[in-house]
Amino acid sequence: MWDIITKAAWQTIYMVIGSTLFSVILGFIPAMILTLTAPDGLRPNRLIYGVLDVIVNIFRSFPFIILMVIIIPFTRLIAGKSIGTKAALVPLTVSAIPFVARVIETALRGVDSGLIEAARSFGASDAQIIRRVYLKEAFPGIISGITLTMINLIGYSAMGGAIGAGGLGDVAIRYGYQAYKIPYLVVTSIILIIFVQLIQSIGNLLYKKLM
Amino acid sequence: MIKIQNLNKKYDNLTVLKDISLEINQGDIFGIIGQSGAGKSTLLRCINGLEPYDEGSITIEGKEIASLDKRELHIMQSRMGMIFQNFNLLNRLNVYDNVALPLQFWGKKKNAPESREKILHLLKLVGLEDRIKSRPGQLSGGQKQRVAIARALVLDPQILLCDEATSALDPQITKDILTLLSQINREMNITIVMVTHQMEVVKEICTKMAYIENGESIAVGRPEELFVAPNSPIRNFVRDASEFLPQEGVNIRLYFNNDATAEDSVITRMARELDINFAICDGRLENYHGTIMGSLAINVSGENQEAVTSYLSQKNIPWEYA
Ligand SMILES: Nc1ncnc2c1ncn2[C@@H]1O[C@H](COP(=O)(O)OP(=O)(O)O)[C@@H](O)[C@H]1O
Ligand SMILES: [Mg+2]
């Protein structure tokens, strides 16, 4: 049992960390564009903001399990195959990008507009304002957004079994639920709870430290 | 130094600035006063190039703000420091780093010897040399505004723009900040533009002022002329709600400056020469950065009205019906 669970735990960690990493990098771009083009942004642009806003909403409203199936051709294109732990990174990342975009946008737009105005009044360029004001002030908020993303991804990764990605959720379903082996169910659940707690605690600690 | 001519600005259909013309000279502490919503902040933001304007012109040392390209505008902005009602400091930076920020915008290292020297010098000037490592959250309102002042001075501006800089502060702290601002004006020869809705602020330090109402400049002049003068266009703004004058007879307010005793003798002489009685209802003295200005309200009976007003006019004493 322990061999199976240890392997599955590593698969979960791999999927969560990998997809968090990619989705944060890729979600950051739309978040930044949304912030800049928002009505109260540095470069307000109703069209770009509106279109991107709708795209993000559409992607967010897809249930993960459906998204995973729909994008199988895309997964194959990127990962070379559509089955396995590595391949699961693709749907996990794709599903997390709009979420990341939203939480980072929220953090960035939470920066007091007075600070932006002050920076502009000293002749700062937009790039300077992004770097030294937006990112600086929003950093703790971005960290708690990433924490939230990771916790969501733990939940999504549990469905990875559907495309042969393994992971703790898969073990819980196959061994615990379908084969009715209660210890598997209990142990995987406990580990998942510990993961979530751990990530949340580290996230909170970082947030406090950074504020 | 700053010349504004026939400035107009609209937000959609709302006209915010109407045909404003002002001239602010080198070394002035120029007050822009008016009710909330009058357009004061918008005017200040136009001067700083933060906001475009529709018609008219703003020139700073001969350069038209609207005609500058992005780069030139940024350079112009670096020569105007700005402070705000809510201080607008970065909460995650300590006092030193907040003051260093504009230098960093301009590509200077915050710990370079010359940056360091300048920042420490300014923090000393504003009296915060012992709070260098504090975060804004650990400071009082007055201290935050001092940090903001140091930050506004770090690029060696020629002009300091203040938007309601003391409106969030207690009266005593306000006084301290105003004292600091006049010191900066005097010692560093920095022209100051103060936007405020607080009369006290203008009375305390401004050498010139403009009164703005609904986006229009109603009156421009020296504060003592506008506040303590008969038939002033800013009467409505400064009228004292606590003023209770008799309903009967005629109330006349006369104005005098500098020499309160002269006024005394005018009153007594008038009583003697005209041989009439009147009641003194209200008298006040106000200090305009050193100049004492005052006014006195008297109540006379209707039949003596003509005699009193012609006497005052003949003696060249400014007066109005109150
Ligand atoms: N960005 C904006 N968009 C639309 N209306 C604005 C904007 N900024 C200010 N206004 C309006 O312009 C008028 C003047 O505002 P403001 O200059 O802030 O006045 P003050 O500083 O004198 O209180 C107000 O009626 C305000 O609602
Ligand atoms: Mg204002």
Side-chain angles (χ1 to χ4, degrees), chain B residues 9-10 25 43 64 86 109-110 125 138 146 162 177 181 184 196 221 239 260 262 264 277 285 308-309:
Chain B
K9 169 148 185 85
K10 281 184 186 167
N25 297 316
L43 178 59
E64 177 68 45
N86 299 320
K109 295 258 180 297
K110 67 175 184 183
L125 174 80
Q138 301 164 312
R146 286 168 184 274
C162 312
I177 295 289
L181 290 174
I184 288 164
T196 182
R239 188 164 41 210
D264 234 22
N277 287 320
L285 287 175
V308 169
T309 54

Side-chain angles (χ1 to χ4, degrees), chain A residues 43 112-115 117-126 128-129 132-133 135-140 209-211, chain B residues 45 48-50 70 74 77-78 80-82 84 88-93 101-102 104-107 135 151-152 155:
Chain A
R43 303 266 179 95
D112 181 356
S113 60
L115 299 185
E117 167 127 328
R120 288 182 60 210
S121 81
F122 297 119
S125 65
D126 291 355
Q128 293 277 15
I129 293 174
R132 297 200 180 274
V133 183
L135 293 183
K136 186 77 199 173
E137 282 291 291
F139 195 54
K209 261 240 144 67
L210 289 169
M211 272 308 262
Chain B
R45 301 176 75 243
N48 195 263
L50 291 169
K70 214 168 187 169
H74 285 170
Q77 285 170 330
S78 75
M80 293 183 258
M82 197 159 174
F84 307 85
N88 294 346
L89 301 173
L90 273 73
N91 294 316
R92 296 192 58 238
L93 296 182
L101 191 64
Q104 291 178 305
F105 289 149
W106 287 89
R135 291 280 193 89
R151 179 178 66 175
L155 296 174

Side-chain angles (χ1 to χ4, degrees), chain B residues 35-42 85 163-164 195-197:
Chain B
Q35 312 275 16
S36 156
K40 310 179 295 292
S41 298
T42 307
Q85 178 168 6
D163 192 351
E164 304 278 5
V195 155
T196 182
H197 67 273

Side-chain angles (χ1 to χ4, degrees), chain B residues 12-29:
Chain B
D12 299 321
N13 287 324
L14 178 73
T15 304
V16 182
L17 299 175
K18 251 177 275 175
D19 210 30
I20 292 201
S21 296
L22 292 178
E23 196 162 344
I24 299 172
N25 297 316
Q26 163 75 40
D28 277 349
I29 301 185

Side-chain angles (χ1 to χ4, degrees), chain B residues 52-97:
Chain B
Y53 41 91
D54 303 324
E55 283 165 46
S57 121
I58 300 178
T59 57
I60 295 180
E61 295 191 314
K63 286 209 184 100
E64 177 68 45
I65 296 291
S67 73
L68 301 176
D69 67 27
K70 214 168 187 169
R71 177 80 195 153
E72 291 168 328
L73 178 63
H74 285 170
I75 291 170
M76 182 64 91
Q77 285 170 330
S78 75
R79 293 159 62 192
M80 293 183 258
M82 197 159 174
I83 59 174
F84 307 85
Q85 178 168 6
N86 299 320
F87 324 122
N88 294 346
L89 301 173
L90 273 73
N91 294 316
R92 296 192 58 238
L93 296 182
N94 66 26
V95 166
Y96 183 95
D97 290 347

Side-chain angles (χ1 to χ4, degrees), chain A residues 10-12 14-15 83-89 163-167:
Chain A
W10 281 113
Q11 285 170 331
T12 294
Y14 175 87
M15 283 189 283
I83 299 288
T85 315
K86 205 166 157 191
L89 285 179
I163 56 167

